[in-house]
Amino acid sequence: MTNLHTSEAATGAGHRSRPRAALPALCATQITSWGIIYYAFPVLNPQITQATGWPAGATTAAFSAALLVSAIAGIRVGRIIDHRGPRAVMTTGSILGVLSILIVAAAPNLAVFAVGWLLAGMAMADTFYQPAFAALTRWWAPDHIRALTVVTLAGGLASTVFAPLTAALAAHMSWRATYAVLAVVLAVVTIPAHAFALNAPWPAAPPSPAHVTGGADTVARSRPFWLLATALTLSAFSVYAVVVALVPLLLERGFTTGQAAWALGLGGAGQTLGRTLYASLARRTGPTARTVTLIGLGGLTTAALALVPGPYTLLVALSVAAGMVRGNITLLQATAITDRWGTTHYGRLSALLAAPATAASALAPFAGAALNAPLGGYPHVFALLAALSMLASLIALGAAVRPPR
């Protein structure tokens, strides 16, 4: 009875320590940060290359380098958040994000343009999903899945809001002026939100579960952790390559650019729908079964896209199904640490888990295009990506963490 009262008191204290504005603030900042730092680039890149004469491959490489920097820097960010909380990190990241976009906008040459994107990579590490997930997991546990779902649903709207907004601005001004306007929006929305909404006391880390011994270093060196990281990395590579390669796959099969774009867009809607189903799935399945199943479903939808030439409505349905799987995999990665090793070292361990997957997602677009010619077409590329997902699903079987008897 005493333990029950202690637990209830701790839970009540945890609820009181939650900053009331944190969840809506993080929803707003995820939409804005992703929308401006990430999704504005593919909209503006054609105008950038046309206006400057810089090679499209070089500008895209600078953007991909930002993703690699974010993967590496995220490990340190996760450690800081575990000890000090998200407020300083995410506020600093917002400032860095504004400075990076202004540097990109003013870049007189490709070298400065690349420097701006490297700084943007630091901002991504400080402000994107991983630090937000760490904040919500500590503040909202054990109800963190609901909070994570809400934030990822909001983040899924980033392209819906900012891709058209960026295109509308670019229709009336230069790409440099467009980025400058977006930098102002980023500053106005994210800096005060992170500085003032994430102001609750940072709760002490809860003790590790009984079956976890040796701390974060021991977990990070364990066989289940590395198998899980390998499975999620292969899955991320396949998933992001499929997203980028879907349009050329449909064009290769004779569909129009408009039809291909609609299929891709509806796949994004499927991603949002999929995230609404994750909480129910988490209640009904264990961590290993859920991981194996979702990654395997990703492989099956990719294989179906490789094998099915049409009709168009069926291909759209497959794109929506693949999007639903992607939406669930985002939350699968967000909850993978707490499901197996608790929340004690969530920031650091989740960053270590996400780093190779983020790097793989940065390389995937280049790999898909590079494999097209040697494999003889995008259907064969999709078949290879499906095989990688199925391999990842099998590897995930070894990531089970079994408490001692």
Side-chain angles (χ1 to χ4, degrees):
M1 191 64 150
T2 302
N3 291 338
L4 178 60
H5 287 163
T6 302
S7 175
E8 289 173 346
T11 302
H15 280 273
R16 286 193 298 274
S17 72
R18 294 175 185 171
R20 293 181 179 179
L23 189 54
L26 287 173
C27 288
T29 60
Q30 289 301 302
I31 293 173
T32 308
S33 298
W34 278 95
I36 293 174
I37 302 177
Y38 189 92
Y39 287 109
F41 174 77
V43 176
L44 292 175
N45 195 39
Q47 190 180 119
I48 293 171
T49 56
Q50 183 179 8
T52 62
W54 300 335
T59 56
T60 304
F63 180 75
S64 296
L67 297 176
L68 294 175
V69 168
S70 73
I72 297 169
I75 298 172
R76 175 63 178 166
V77 169
R79 187 194 294 266
I80 293 172
I81 290 178
D82 276 341
H83 292 288
R84 302 177 189 173
R87 186 184 186 188
V89 166
M90 299 192 78
T91 304
T92 302
S94 293
I95 297 170
L96 289 177
V98 173
L99 291 175
S100 69
I101 295 302
L102 290 175
I103 290 171
V104 167
N109 53 53
L110 189 56
V112 177
F113 183 84
V115 168
W117 280 112
L118 294 177
L119 185 61
M122 298 292 295
M124 293 177 185
D126 287 344
T127 60
F128 276 14
Y129 277 147
Q130 288 305 316
F133 288 166
L136 293 173
T137 297
R138 179 74 66 89
W139 269 322
W140 259 258
D143 192 28
H144 55 283
I145 291 180
R146 182 187 67 84
L148 296 175
T149 301
V150 170
V151 165
T152 54
L153 286 174
L157 297 174
S159 61
T160 305
V161 174
F162 279 95
L165 175 60
T166 301
L169 290 172
H172 296 90
M173 58 184 70
S174 70
W175 69 269
R176 296 181 186 277
T178 299
Y179 260 139
V181 171
L182 291 175
V184 172
V185 174
L186 186 67
V188 169
V189 174
T190 65
I191 294 175
H194 288 150
F196 298 113
L198 307 181
N199 59 352
W202 188 235
S208 298
H211 66 279
V212 178
T213 58
D217 289 339
T218 301
V219 171
R221 290 193 296 265
S222 67
R223 182 174 178 270
F225 185 90
W226 281 103
L227 289 175
L228 180 63
T230 301
L232 291 176
T233 299
L234 290 174
S235 175
F237 180 87
S238 177
V239 162
Y240 281 93
V242 165
V243 170
V244 175
L246 181 62
V247 169
L249 172 74
L250 295 181
L251 293 177
E252 190 173 298
R253 286 179 165 157
F255 298 101
T256 67
T257 301
Q259 287 175 315
W262 269 106
L264 181 61
L266 291 172
Q271 183 170 299
T272 301
L273 175 61
R275 287 171 179 167
T276 66
L277 305 176
Y278 185 79
S280 178
L281 179 65
R283 287 193 297 269
R284 291 170 169 79
T285 58
T288 302
R290 188 161 60 252
T291 304
V292 171
T293 300
L294 287 173
I295 294 177
L297 286 173
L300 289 176
T301 56
T302 303
L305 287 167
L307 296 173
V308 176
Y312 177 71
T313 52
L314 178 56
L315 291 171
V316 169
L318 290 173
S319 178
V320 171
M324 292 177 67
V325 174
R326 286 199 306 274
N328 276 279
I329 287 177
T330 301
L331 287 166
L332 176 75
Q333 181 170 312
T335 58
I337 297 300
T338 52
D339 286 342
R340 293 166 175 82
W341 298 286
T343 61
T344 309
H345 306 288
Y346 178 88
R348 182 184 177 195
L349 291 176
S350 66
L352 286 169
L353 194 66
T358 303
S361 68
L363 299 175
F366 295 99
L371 290 170
N372 179 41
L375 293 179
Y378 277 98
H380 296 95
V381 173
F382 272 63
L384 175 61
L385 295 174
L388 285 177
S389 285
M390 299 311 294
L391 174 62
S393 181
L394 292 175
I395 291 173
L397 285 169
V401 177
R402 298 179 179 87
R405 296 175 68 88

